[in-house]
Amino acid sequence: MDPKMEDETMRIRAVATLLKFLRKCIIAVLSYGPMPQHIAFIMDGNRRYAKARCMKDGTGHRMGFSALISSLLYCYEMGVKYMTVYAFSIDNFKRDTSEVQCLMKLMEEKINELLENREVIGRMNCKISFWGNLEMLSEPVKLAAQKLMAITAGNTGLVFSVCMPYNSTSEIVNAVNKLCAERRGIAQKGHSGSCINGHAANNGVHSDISVADLDRHMYSNGCPDPDIVIRTSGEARLSNFLLWQTTFSHLQSPDPLWPEFSLRHLAWAILQYQRVYPYVEQNKKMAKKQL
């Protein structure tokens, strides 16, 4: 090997080792405070990132996928149990047809990459879920998503939820419809069963709908509410994302565009959460007392 190339290789290895050590130090410092169980991301700014750098269509989203995988690994290393991302809104179908098709192809490509190269998933023993109306996706994307969910269903590590195509309004309507169908099914069984004093037995069914009833039918059933919601690019809007689940979430809107989001930004977000943690927990306890 050329001595110059050998020296360059050694320098790269030394830098990589140093960065790995610094990452461990940052995570160790953060672990002294309360760590979030669940972090949700609104991955905003992919198009603006590409446009500002005169990149080809789709390049920003490709770089955004790299930032996504890095964030997933950082969350895993920090001991975060759940990570949820807003990947594609139902409203995004209103965009230019060519852009939507490009995004669908990119989704299919990246999901198939995860299926073919399972190193990242295997390392974290990651369970992957897709939240949203999958019937709205193109057939190849839908099939790839279903296959990825089936393959990782038995994994017990970090739970990674991808919201696509999704919005919170649709999720709530879907939960209400499922609950109504469930109630109708139970009522029909009760009607065809035994009668008491000339009236059909209701088998313990109540007409009132509780928060817990709807929770059972949300996409997020079994997943704790997000401790932190991060929307990159400085935007301070939820954009119809997890409206049901974010009552007590700490909302943050850092300036970097999503492809620029890095470990230092994530570490700062967790520090901000740790700073307000006592206040958030106090509000949660007060809310429980009022129920």
Side-chain angles (χ1 to χ4, degrees), residues 245-290:
Q245 299 89 348
T246 52
T247 303
F248 297 105
S249 301
H250 188 229
L251 308 180
Q252 302 187 30
S253 50
D255 290 330
L257 303 175
W258 176 250
E260 300 169 323
F261 193 79
S262 64
L263 175 61
R264 66 188 178 91
H265 301 118
L266 181 58
W268 178 250
I270 292 174
L271 284 172
Q272 292 290 91
Y273 164 75
Q274 291 176 341
R275 182 176 62 83
V276 301
Y277 178 80
Y279 173 74
V280 172
E281 288 302 300
Q282 182 183 3
N283 282 346
K284 285 182 181 179
K285 288 177 183 178
M286 288 179 65
K288 286 180 180 178
K289 287 180 182 179
Q290 293 170 7

Side-chain angles (χ1 to χ4, degrees), residues 74-123:
Y74 298 148
C75 284
Y76 166 73
E77 291 176 355
M78 290 177 179
V80 175
K81 303 297 183 186
Y82 301 86
M83 176 173 156
T84 302
V85 296
Y86 202 3
F88 192 85
S89 168
I90 289 175
D91 297 324
N92 288 155
F93 283 112
K94 297 175 184 177
R95 292 181 179 179
D96 184 80
T97 305
S98 61
E99 183 182 351
V100 173
Q101 289 176 345
C102 180
L103 289 173
M104 287 293 157
K105 287 181 181 178
L106 180 61
M107 289 177 193
E108 181 187 358
E109 176 189 322
K110 294 307 177 183
I111 293 172
N112 283 327
E113 277 184 22
L114 290 174
L115 286 168
E116 292 166 9
N117 182 6
R118 301 180 196 172
E119 181 181 349
V120 174
I121 297 172
R123 176 181 168 186

Side-chain angles (χ1 to χ4, degrees), residues 214-228:
L214 283 174
D215 268 334
R216 285 189 294 107
H217 295 287
M218 291 288 173
Y219 297 132
S220 57
N221 181 38
C223 179
D225 292 343
D227 299 296
I228 309 173

Side-chain angles (χ1 to χ4, degrees), residues 195-210:
C195 290
I196 301 174
N197 296 327
H199 297 283
N202 65 5
N203 291 343
V205 178
H206 301 287
S207 59
D208 293 339
I209 292 176
S210 69

